[in-house]
Amino acid sequence: MGKLKRKDYQALLEPMQLELAAMARWVQHTGQRVLVLFEGRDTAGKGGAIQAIAEHLNPRQCKVVALPKPTDRESTQWYFQRYVSHLPAAGEIVLMDRSWYNRAGVEHVMGYCTEAQYRSFLAQTPVFEKLLIDDGIVLFKYWLSVDQAQQEKRFAERHLDPLKGWKLSPVDLKSRSKYSAYTESREAMLRATHNDDAPWTLVDFNDQKRGRLGLIRNLLDRLPDTRVDEPVLALPPLKGKLHKEHFGVLKPIEPFVTT
């Protein structure tokens, strides 16, 4: 299966983004609370998938959450506490670029948590997520997978591209040799937290364009009928002459000039 050309990808993505816009109207109209977790290996493409979903949605309604490492105070709280404040309210969609599953992944593999904390997390997470679902939150959990050869290629691209250098952290470099350990940790996480109430969905992101399309299609197909009958807003022409901008106190900077 060959890689999609950008124009073909955009042609396939656009109708899905229209469906996402309809979904957002349904969420707002019905007061639903939608939470989508994006997990996966470094370089898999979590940010690009989130961007494809959120690109044409109202950022006041569709919120992207990507938390930094815990503060000293947060590290002493109940583990799930700092995530709770970011859960969606009525009419909102929250897309989490990594989530509480950090504990089952990087924290466990890199030794940032104790074994007791890790075991406690695996036991508590199904209970925590069941509470969210019972309260009415619509929860989706996606794991984005990528082969090590493709991961190494993307690491190299980030290393050489000054516009992507911020994506390459010291933790990423340390984790490169732990591909198998991350696999083992993922499988343990799935055994403990994949269930009928909050199932995981794995998506192949070796081809990121196909991965995004597959993920979005899966998300849309798992939602109920999201059509909402809304009146079409009229946009009548204005009367009179249209005004040009005019300035008194300050003036705009000079237009940008190409060379």
Side-chain angles (χ1 to χ4, degrees), residues 132-146:
L132 301 183
I133 294 162
D134 286 348
D135 197 59
I137 289 178
V138 182
L139 175 64
F140 297 91
K141 303 190 301 188
Y142 287 100
W143 174 275
L144 282 55
S145 66
V146 60

Side-chain angles (χ1 to χ4, degrees), residues 9 17 45 56 95 119 202 212 214-216 221 235:
Y9 164 71
Q17 289 181 322
H56 298 293
L95 311 176
R119 295 296 173 189
L202 276 59
R212 290 175 207 145
L215 189 154
I216 295 172
D221 287 347
L235 189 65

Side-chain angles (χ1 to χ4, degrees), residues 132-200:
L132 301 183
I133 294 162
D134 286 348
D135 197 59
I137 289 178
V138 182
L139 175 64
F140 297 91
K141 303 190 301 188
Y142 287 100
W143 174 275
L144 282 55
S145 66
V146 60
D147 295 337
Q148 191 172 25
Q150 186 61 243
Q151 186 183 50
E152 281 295 292
K153 179 181 177 182
R154 293 173 188 173
F155 273 139
E157 290 173 354
R158 290 181 180 185
H159 183 253
L160 295 173
D161 188 344
L163 297 178
K164 295 181 179 180
W166 64 271
K167 294 183 177 183
L168 192 60
S169 71
V171 175
D172 295 334
L173 296 177
K174 290 180 182 179
S175 68
R176 286 176 57 222
S177 62
K178 297 183 180 292
Y179 188 91
S180 295
Y182 273 101
T183 300
E184 293 173 6
S185 187
R186 180 198 64 209
E187 293 302 295
M189 178 195 76
L190 293 176
R191 283 192 294 270
T193 63
H194 174 68
N195 53 62
D196 291 340
D197 292 316
W200 277 98

Side-chain angles (χ1 to χ4, degrees), residues 10-43:
Q10 290 293 344
L12 292 166
L13 177 62
E14 184 175 343
M16 293 188 196
Q17 289 181 322
L18 289 171
E19 290 185 63
L20 287 169
M23 179 268 285
R25 289 193 295 272
W26 168 77
V27 168
Q28 189 170 49
H29 181 78
T30 60
Q32 295 284 342
R33 291 171 289 163
V34 176
L35 175 62
V36 189
L37 310 185
F38 294 81
E39 296 289 343
R41 298 184 186 276
D42 294 324
T43 78

